[in-house]
Amino acid sequence: MKAKLPLLYAIALVFALILSSLTIAQAGDSLPSWNDGKAKQSIVAFVKKVTTVGSPDYVPPAERIATFDNDGTLWSEQPMYFQLFFALDRVKALTPQHPEWKEKEPFASLLKGDAKAALAGGLKAVLEIVMATHGGMTTTEFEKIVKIWIATARHPKTKRLYTEMVYQPMLELLAFLRANGFKTFIVSGGGIEFMRPWAEAVYGIPPEQIVGSSIKTKFEMRDNGPVLVRLPEMNFIDDKEGKPVGINSHIGRRPVAAFGNSDGDLQMLQWSTAGRGLRYGLLVHHTDAEREWAYDRKSHIGRLDKALDEAEEKGWTVVDMKRDWKVIYPSVK
Amino acid sequence: MKAKLPLLYAIALVFALILSSLTIAQAGDSLPSWNDGKAKQSIVAFVKKVTTVGSPDYVPPAERIATFDNDGTLWSEQPMYFQLFFALDRVKALTPQHPEWKEKEPFASLLKGDAKAALAGGLKAVLEIVMATHGGMTTTEFEKIVKIWIATARHPKTKRLYTEMVYQPMLELLAFLRANGFKTFIVSGGGIEFMRPWAEAVYGIPPEQIVGSSIKTKFEMRDNGPVLVRLPEMNFIDDKEGKPVGINSHIGRRPVAAFGNSDGDLQMLQWSTAGRGLRYGLLVHHTDAEREWAYDRKSHIGRLDKALDEAEEKGWTVVDMKRDWKVIYPSVK
């Protein structure tokens, strides 16, 4: 019996592999929320080429790296980045300890509910808010705060949980890529520790496959054991030129496919698609004012301008949200 | 036929999974280069406990993170870190462009072949050498230089390729853990970009599962496309207190098992074993002057002093290389 086990195991495995490869032919069915247009066809065609053994475009499984922006690509980002709603709630909770915030920008505007004014200082203002509200505690404490918030806070317009504002077509795309041997990563300008506590349950992307902006942390030995303390000091900004840097630092391979929605993703798409062999770039264009939001070249959040021009030039796929997606969000029970 | 495929596939998969779980009982055979002593027994017992469904110590596959130091834990590190041999060869190659190095420490000592004097400045001197020799080129160029060096350079004492000075028992341990659902990571004070070009072939550890020290890189758009330029500026030192920081940044989960050999790994073992539930810490003690090197509390490289005391206190496994390992290096054809 003992000698037979490895053989039986091998046979079963081969059987499973053959059947799993047969399912690639049914690829189209894996993207039921995508209308059958150019965008869907380009995805399916790309995946077929890079996974077909013997194809000139074949990519071995280990190199099938796909990177996804988060805000505006996997979930909504209007009227402001969802992490800013989290930060605003933290500012409110912490204001008793920081009376000076009532007079000091960008906190003063945030407390008045004027997100636009708070954001006038751009990414730096955002990061100032984030550092003041995300630092000064251990990584474990921060994780707990995020978990409680993400399970309870609701979007002011849709009244949905924020994790119910992820894009159903993109969830299907993530699963489709993984079913075809891809390793899916998030590469976001958002906080790495803000995404990790919930991204595995929501996107199927584990903490070690999340790249994002970060503040510095420091190891400390306390009486009840070691902790990592979050310092109010920027470590890395994973946006624009930072995205290829973050990809290189965390992944160490050039992605074969990259997915974004704004000029903040331009360098990630440039870097990914400049690699040798077949590559794939995709931009989500927010064109659906009715079911989501419509914005592009002039938006203060998620501006899509240069990248939209370059998409045409480079042959990247542009998803027209209104035309290409049957549904936007998952149905909520 | 079509409807039957998913069912057949599921049956085949269940069959494969059942058989694969049966193979756990044969675990001991997966470590043939380990003598049957306390060290081997503790590894096998730990893996059995965390992988047995229903066991109070069960750990779900997604959380089976194991981190390994590299120098002195997965390969040798005497008479100096192998990356320093690489740096020395780079110093020699670049000296025509840097005549000042002949007078300037730590370069002057390195060029005279006096590694001990060059290392007198500690990790900072090492990093100065590394930055001067590892910066000023693109990531792609650096990768090529490392690949050529690692395929040709030989150790001064053993005359082996450096990748032939990895520890056979540790290769088996890495494979054994992976066969039991663990994700294996390197967490090394060595350069992340120095390890990535060869670690996958040698250890089976992909680039995205390597954490190490790094210099800063910068995205640049050149005429023939985008590049990442390596700057002569330190980004992160992944040693001592830096190891839990690097683990948190790259992995975002606390390891359930950590493997090291020196005081540089102490904080990684403290951090990993302080987590809830069953945890495992192991130190490789270099006790074999005949087959490898013997050093511990007073060594200038890979000092093992505080961590050796703490291992006893905390119940971490200490591998006695001479007693516990049947062979040190893989046999070379």
Side-chain angles (χ1 to χ4, degrees), chain A residues 46-67:
Chain A
F46 167 76
V47 169
K48 193 172 178 183
K49 282 180 193 164
V50 297
T51 55
T52 302
V53 181
S55 148
D57 301 314
Y58 179 73
V59 175
E63 290 166 30
R64 292 182 201 156
I65 302 289
T67 53

Side-chain angles (χ1 to χ4, degrees), chain B residues 82 85-86 89 144-153 162 194:
Chain B
F82 293 174
F85 285 112
F86 169 74
D89 287 347
K144 269 186 213 155
I145 293 170
V146 172
K147 278 187 172 171
I148 292 171
W149 184 84
I150 203 81
T152 53
Y162 290 99
F194 174 73

Side-chain angles (χ1 to χ4, degrees), chain B residues 116-186:
Chain B
K116 204 171 174 184
L119 290 173
L123 190 63
K124 291 226 164 172
V126 172
L127 292 169
E128 202 177 336
I129 295 164
V130 167
M131 278 187 280
T133 56
H134 291 48
M137 66 198 87
T138 69
T139 51
T140 310
E141 288 161 353
F142 184 71
E143 189 186 343
K144 269 186 213 155
I145 293 170
V146 172
K147 278 187 172 171
I148 292 171
W149 184 84
I150 203 81
T152 53
R154 287 181 183 271
H155 188 275
K157 186 181 157 192
T158 66
K159 310 297 178 200
R160 283 176 170 240
L161 294 174
Y162 290 99
T163 52
E164 293 168 351
M165 293 179 72
V166 299
Y167 303 132
Q168 177 63 26
M170 295 305 278
L171 295 181
E172 293 165 8
L173 177 54
L174 285 167
F176 175 57
L177 288 171
R178 287 193 293 260
N180 282 285
F182 278 83
K183 229 176 183 174
T184 53
F185 288 79
I186 288 176

